[in-house]
Amino acid sequence: MTDRSAIQAGLRRLAEEGRPASEAARWAMREMGDDFGVFALMAHFFTVYHVPVERLRELDRWAGLPTAGPLTDPELDAAIGPLTVRETPLPYRRAT
């Protein structure tokens, strides 16, 4: 099982270093391993970063995914925009 807190801390660090969305997404995918899914990736980005959901949906079209969509790294980076960390991260609640 993936350690969500560790992934979210890593994503915050990458934003603070000024890394682009494509780099943060690749890092998160490696960290999630077998638990990877594009929806989980979007959820991590939404929880950590100030990015509207409609822009996060562009992740599903990204060439860096196993499904290899048409969106290049620079196009994804432009669609998501600079990664800005939420001042107060959203709480994670496991569905019951």
Side-chain angles (χ1 to χ4, degrees):
M1 180 177 251
T2 302
D3 181 351
R4 287 177 175 83
S5 297
I7 290 173
Q8 291 172 5
L11 288 172
R12 280 190 290 281
R13 178 184 49 82
L14 290 168
E16 289 163 358
E17 293 173 1
R19 305 299 175 105
S22 57
E23 187 175 334
R26 279 196 178 83
W27 178 86
M29 288 170 53
R30 284 191 305 273
E31 292 299 308
M32 288 192 292
D34 292 339
D35 291 337
F36 170 74
V38 72
F39 184 76
L41 180 61
M42 287 180 202
H44 282 303
F45 267 54
F46 184 75
T47 300
V48 174
Y49 304 131
H50 284 286
V51 180
V53 172
E54 55 274 2
R55 283 198 274 151
L56 284 177
R57 293 182 67 198
E58 293 299 311
L59 281 166
D60 197 33
R61 299 180 52 238
W62 179 44
L65 295 177
T67 54
L71 214 59
T72 65
D73 285 6
E75 290 170 329
L76 177 70
D77 297 339
I80 301 291
L83 299 176
T84 305
V85 175
R86 290 182 182 274
E87 292 296 319
T88 305
L90 297 175
Y92 173 77
R93 293 186 201 158
R94 191 168 203 63
T96 56

